[in-house]
């Protein structure tokens, strides 16, 4: 019965599939087997373009690298050899794929190690956690590519789309990026994505070539058994790969659901009309018994009391049905605009002398101590500096409320904030509840229309960068120039580039910052008044 069904399916396909030139297709496959200098030149260029796009977080650049990458050719040839059992095509295509993969990863590793850009961008992160949809996309795209090769129909439009959808070159570039920056997690995740795409493309290519009449070179029964055995092994490998991909997808869905539930719980507690509203939040799942640590920022007309915050934490815990630790940062806001007020000065009661002396003595005792601990903390959060702090005590709480102001262009992560709180607690030998406010190293510099020169006021604003570089010579300065919108395109771009170059020259000459550690970019949109935004980050230590 099975043989009859197979015969009818084959006859039905033979009657409906278009007539193809097997000899012409085989000739094209053989033409792609040789390893030439031109092939590796294009592959290297595609690799470096993809790596550059990944580092600067530019999707169009990455798509361009996918279009010029020649790596799809040997992968499709390998799928052809899998079906036909052609030993020559098998050996040469497998050798070409292996050499291409190794060379791509090595070049990307070297380029990443030498590059001053080491930030893990969104485009890089997107290629480190593959899921089952990546496998399905690669399978369907490989099917379309193999069908286009066999039929030659819409070949010029289908093959570029296949190259973009399967994306075999960017994961290898990310693998090299992870190795070059000493991040094995990124390297392993990206290479797993490439391997997933590779297996799915080979299997889909096998099925398409088989449907179009390609069989082992000698149609013996033993050869057909070997073909079926190879397909079974490849399918089992694909099934094995699917297990972690399904897990990754389910984990991502779980995180999205958790974020939605946390947001709904916080809004239920803090979105109170004419009193408070949730501004932002972030959460971290800790390994400590499944504890969920939530950091929330709430805009409030009047500060919420500790009892209200404790009750809110309890209700969030009950709603999520898990352990929750809630930290709330309150920002006092006005419900309406400012109104003119008549301020009458009332006579103040001057405290007795002993009370003033007690308060002065307490201040003189604790402020120098916290200043000393802050100086020690600055060595660990360099180049950031603690510019100011305030201390408060609560009647019913034993912890010291410490608010510090840090010169920093990026907010502290939950891990950094927790670590800093523990550092102050250990250094002061008492519980500390820490709140952190960040101020930028340098405010946005606004230029007069048509002007590119730095004013004396601007140069004074740049002085913190000299101090930051003296404290930590591994900082990275990012300059984002915003062009003025009321000029012709070429003129506005020229002026924006000149402003960024003038600022970079000043930082190199006056602040002694290495030119390789100054990155210049143009903002995507122009504005009414030209400006430059300056961001300071830290390069990772090379191991």
């Amino acid at each position: 019965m099975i043989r009859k069904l197979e015969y009818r399916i084959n006859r039905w396909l033979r009657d409906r599939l278009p007539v193809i030139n097997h000899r012409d297709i085989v000739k094209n496959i053989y033409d792609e087997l040789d390893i030439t200098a031109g092939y590796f030149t294009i592959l290297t260029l595609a690799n470096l373009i993809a790596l550059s796009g990944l580092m600067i977080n530019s999707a169009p650049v990455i798509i361009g690298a996918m279009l010029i990458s020649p790596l799809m050719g040997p992968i499709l040839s390998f799928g052809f050899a899998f079906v036909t059992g052609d030993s020559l095509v098998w050996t040469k295509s497998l050798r070409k794929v292996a050499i291409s993969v190794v060379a791509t990863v090595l070049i990307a590793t070297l380029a990443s190690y030498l590059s001053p850009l080491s930030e893990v961008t969104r485009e890089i992160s997107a290629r480190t956690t593959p899921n089952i949809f990546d496998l399905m996309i690669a399978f369907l795209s490989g099917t379309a590519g193999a069908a286009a090769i066999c039929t030659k129909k819409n070949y010029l439009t289908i093959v570029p789309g296949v190259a973009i959808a399967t994306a075999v070159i960017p994961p290898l570039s990310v693998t090299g990026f992870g190795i070059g920056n000493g991040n094995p997690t990124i390297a392993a995740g990206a290479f797993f994505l490439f391997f997933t795409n590779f297996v799915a493309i080979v299997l889909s290519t096998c099925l398409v070539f088989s449907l179009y009449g390609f069989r082992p070179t000698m149609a013996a029964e033993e050869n057909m058994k070997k073909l079926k055995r190879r397909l079974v092994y490849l399918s089992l490998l694909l099934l094995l790969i699917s297990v972690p991909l399904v897990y990754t997808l389910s984990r991502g869905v779980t995180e999205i659901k958790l974020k939605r539930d946390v947001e709904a719980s916080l809004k239920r507690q803090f979105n109170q009309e004419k009193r408070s509203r949730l501004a932002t939040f972030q959460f971290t799942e800790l390994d400590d018994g499944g504890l969920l640590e939530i950091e929330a920022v709430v805009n409030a007309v009047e500060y919420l009391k500790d009892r209200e915050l404790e009750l809110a934490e309890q209700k969030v815990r009950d709603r999520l049905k898990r352990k929750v630790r809630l930290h709330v940062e309150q920002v006092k806001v006005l419900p309406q605009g400012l109104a003119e007020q008549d301020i009458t000065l009332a006579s103040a009661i001057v405290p007795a002398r002993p009370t003033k002396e007690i308060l002065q003595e307490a201040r003189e005792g604790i402020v120098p101590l916290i200043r000393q601990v802050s100086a020690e903390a600055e060595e660990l959060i360099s180049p950031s500096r603690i510019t100011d702090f305030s201390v408060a005590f609560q009647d019913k709480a034993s912890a010291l409320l410490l608010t510090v102001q840090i010169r920093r262009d990026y907010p502290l992560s939950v891990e950094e904030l927790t670590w800093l709180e523990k550092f102050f607690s250990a250094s002061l030998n008492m519980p500390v509840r820490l709140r952190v406010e960040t101020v930028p190293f340098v405010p946005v510099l606004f230029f007069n229309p048509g002007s590119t020169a730095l004013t004396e006021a601007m140069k004074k604003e740049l002085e913190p960068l000299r101090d930051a570089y003296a404290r930590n010579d591994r900082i990275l300065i990012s300059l984002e120039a915003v062009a003025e919108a009321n000029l012709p395109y070429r003129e506005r771009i020229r002026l924006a580039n000149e402003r960024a170059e003038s600022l970079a020259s000043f930082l190199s000459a006056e602040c002694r910052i290495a030119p390789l550690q100054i990155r210049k970019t143009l903002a995507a949109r122009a504005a009414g008044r030209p400006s430059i935004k300056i961001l300071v980050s830290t390069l990772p230590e090379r191991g």
Side-chain angles (χ1 to χ4, degrees), residues 335-387:
Q336 295 178 351
L338 291 173
E340 294 184 0
Q341 299 179 358
D342 293 330
I343 301 176
T344 303
L345 296 178
S347 59
I349 300 177
V350 180
R353 180 70 180 180
T355 304
K356 182 177 181 181
E357 291 178 357
I358 292 174
L359 294 176
Q360 183 67 21
E361 184 179 353
R363 185 184 188 282
E364 292 176 354
I366 193 170
V367 169
L369 179 59
I370 295 180
R371 187 180 293 123
Q372 178 183 350
V373 176
S374 299
E376 296 174 358
E378 285 181 351
E379 297 298 326
L380 302 173
I381 61 174
S382 178
S384 299
R385 300 203 68 169
I386 297 177
T387 57

Side-chain angles (χ1 to χ4, degrees), residues 238-381:
L238 197 66
L239 182 63
L240 185 63
I241 291 176
S242 302
V243 175
L245 297 179
V246 172
Y247 170 75
T248 304
L249 178 63
S250 63
R251 184 176 177 182
V253 172
T254 302
E255 289 181 357
I256 293 173
K257 183 179 182 300
L258 177 60
K259 181 178 180 181
R260 186 170 60 246
D261 292 343
V262 170
E263 183 178 12
S265 302
L266 293 176
K267 286 184 176 179
R268 189 181 183 91
Q269 301 305 317
F270 296 118
N271 283 8
Q272 303 176 25
E273 187 176 359
K274 296 183 179 180
R275 190 184 182 195
S276 63
R277 180 167 296 276
L278 178 68
T280 60
F281 74 94
Q282 58 183 0
F283 62 89
T284 305
E285 292 188 87
L286 303 178
D287 296 332
D288 186 13
L291 177 64
L292 184 67
E293 190 166 51
I294 303 174
E295 298 280 341
V297 178
V298 176
N299 295 334
V301 177
E302 294 182 356
Y303 288 124
L304 303 176
K305 304 295 188 294
D306 278 353
R307 178 56 185 165
E308 294 177 288
L309 297 179
E310 292 173 1
L311 184 60
E313 181 181 77
Q314 181 62 44
K315 289 184 177 180
V316 171
R317 185 184 300 118
D318 295 340
R319 183 178 178 86
L320 297 178
K321 297 180 180 180
R322 61 183 299 173
K323 296 180 182 179
V324 171
R325 184 162 63 202
L326 178 62
H327 300 281
V328 178
E329 180 178 343
Q330 301 185 57
V331 180
K332 194 169 184 179
V333 297
L334 292 175
Q336 295 178 351
L338 291 173
E340 294 184 0
Q341 299 179 358
D342 293 330
I343 301 176
T344 303
L345 296 178
S347 59
I349 300 177
V350 180
R353 180 70 180 180
T355 304
K356 182 177 181 181
E357 291 178 357
I358 292 174
L359 294 176
Q360 183 67 21
E361 184 179 353
R363 185 184 188 282
E364 292 176 354
I366 193 170
V367 169
L369 179 59
I370 295 180
R371 187 180 293 123
Q372 178 183 350
V373 176
S374 299
E376 296 174 358
E378 285 181 351
E379 297 298 326
L380 302 173
I381 61 174

Side-chain angles (χ1 to χ4, degrees), residues 8 51 86 102 151 182 268 278-279 298 354 431 438 456 508 533:
R8 290 182 179 180
L51 184 62
D86 191 316
V102 172
T151 61
R268 189 181 183 91
L278 178 68
V298 176
T438 59
E456 292 301 322
S508 299
K533 183 179 181 182

